[in-house]
Amino acid sequence: MALLILSPFVGFLINGLRYKKHSANLAGVIATTAIAISFISAVLLVVDVVAMPAEARKIAVTFFEWMAVDKFKINAGFVVDQISSIMILVITGVGTLIHLFSIGYMHHDKGAAKYFAYLNLFIFNMLLLVLGDSLLVMFVGWEGVGLCSYLLIGFWFTDKEKAAAGMKAFITNRVGDAAFLLGMFVLFISFGTLNFSELNALAPTVAEASWLGAVTLGTMFLFIGATGKSAQIPLYVWLPDAMAGPTPVSALIHAATMVTAGVYMIVRLNPLFIMAPNTMMVIAIIGAATAVLAATIGMTQWDIKKVLAYSTVSQLGYMFLACGVGAFGAAMFHLMTHAFFKALMFLGSGSVIHAMHEEQDIRKMGGLKKYLPITHVTFLLGWLAIIGVPPFAGFFSKDEILAYAFNSPLGSPVLWVCGALGATLTAFYMTRLMALTFWGKSRVPSHVHPHESPALMTIPLIVLAVLSVIGGWIGIPHVIGEHLGHIPNVWEHWLHPVISPIPGWQAIDATTEWTLIGVSVGLAAISAVVAYQFYVKSPETPKKIAESIKPVYNLVYNKYFVDEAYFGAIINPLVNLSRSTWYYVDVNFIDKMTYWAGDLMRGMGSMVRSTQTGNMQQYAMYIGIGVVVALSFVIMR
């Protein structure tokens, strides 16, 4: 386990300490090798876990006692079990492919060695986050990925907009992290521990009805922390701006690492969350609302990476919807499949941007499939996966979430409608992205000559495309598995020992499940066909529709003016208050009091200094006066 965790850190040290002397290719090889070693170590650890009995699949290691203050004792402990084993494979496996892609993408950048050092540090902190056996150890990695996101999003910091995007991500996450700390305080005061196993074991056996109960408050604060890290309403605003960093960074943050942290944390503490139905309800509502809201914004964006960014926010909403209705296994399933197809699509967008000489506006693309055949085919497979076409990976995980949203005692038909609407909108805007980028007539400027990316960039695309096709087959729903020769749901069997059952759960009947599958797939198919018709066959139609509903279109295109609302209601008033406090308190009170005290001391010093003349007669006079005063005092007594 030490090799798994420390290998990326060693890569960070090698590139970080000698970044001025390492070429881009050498730095890339060092960084990629470090993550590949971690991936091999992760595979070996997972093999050991698989060989264990189902009820005892855990490898726990304690490196040292971190802190011990009275009853508060925390060890630097790490654990590999059914949940963390999924995460380490995704993080190191997809991370290795992203590092490999980066060698080709960043070979021309003068700061490539520093970039790869930051990437390795990112993976190191993410491994700390998912392997830690307590909330506090997790929080170290939680803060570490926040720092690395700031460094990587603002990597090209000489551009003020990119530097501001990094700062926005950092500050927004600090808001959520403050709530995360409060959640830890509440849980420790209530249970006397922050260890995951102990917290889950101490979870009450009866659901907590009060909004002010310890479990509800603790889990609610932790969820607020998750809304920051995993970009949910109201703290999602940083993630679209995270596109300011190099494109492989977007793939790393959006697919395999940071944004999945909130989902992982909830699944890790699922026995505790399931006993807080009020928190679960809030999680489900926020997840469903985020899935729909982000999908609508994605329909109007023109930057290829911004479309994918809002897609990520929407897909994360699905994962939180799953958590909120008690489908923790489905949330982890979608986390994994999403890592495959979203990493593929972000790296594919990087290949397109590379081919288009850094152009990101899809209105200046079109017809690229003949210039970028490998990128097109792999992106096409990612598109089929994300819109939920069977038997691609996204179909299995997304429809399992929708089935739980409809059938779970914690779900409702309204939540299912929101999920189905999100899927329909996803099919539309992702087809729009495919059409405007790869299909239809070319709108590429005459001075741009698109070309396929080198093998270092296309090989990761091919691997991720294969995973996007077959990645969902380990979680085939029972209703489909029965018709295919009783194929078992391996995913459900793997997670069963560590996932708490939903109170009052009853299995969904086959007819209802087939109906839900047919409706969701049918809606997505219709939506995709409509988008293809709009943007390939009749490109003037979307323009006419947008013009006919211009106020609504402008509202969505401007992202519902959420950023502007934050600036108007929170940021600008705080800035103005800070300036007023600085001017009236610091400048006009504290500074003036300091100057007054200084002037007073200087004046007193000048008065005393005036007595030091060096004139012996004057000194004799002072002595005489002193003697007279002293004698007078004695005689008068």
Side-chain angles (χ1 to χ4, degrees), residues 23-25 102-110 112 116 354 454 457:
S23 66
N25 289 340
S102 295
I103 297 176
Y105 191 85
M106 296 293 290
H107 72 91
H108 62 284
D109 197 291
K110 294 180 180 179
F116 281 108
H354 176 79
M457 297 170 67

Side-chain angles (χ1 to χ4, degrees), residues 473-545:
W473 297 357
I474 61 173
I476 296 178
H478 295 290
V479 69
I480 297 178
E482 291 294 326
H483 287 270
L484 297 177
H486 302 286
I487 298 176
N489 189 321
V490 177
W491 187 267
E492 184 178 272
H493 177 73
W494 173 254
L495 287 176
H496 177 73
V498 291
I499 297 296
S500 294
I502 303 171
W505 167 260
Q506 292 182 351
I508 188 170
D509 65 89
T511 301
T512 302
E513 189 166 3
W514 278 116
T515 302
L516 294 177
I517 290 173
V519 171
S520 63
V521 173
L523 289 174
I526 293 170
S527 182
V529 170
V530 170
Y532 182 85
Q533 183 69 28
F534 277 5
Y535 293 98
V536 176
K537 299 296 185 180
S538 179
E540 294 301 317
T541 302
K543 298 177 183 178
K544 293 178 181 178
I545 295 175

Side-chain angles (χ1 to χ4, degrees), residues 622-637:
Y622 292 156
I623 293 171
I625 292 172
V627 170
V628 170
V629 172
L631 288 174
S632 299
F633 178 75
V634 172
I635 293 170
M636 291 180 67
R637 289 185 61 190

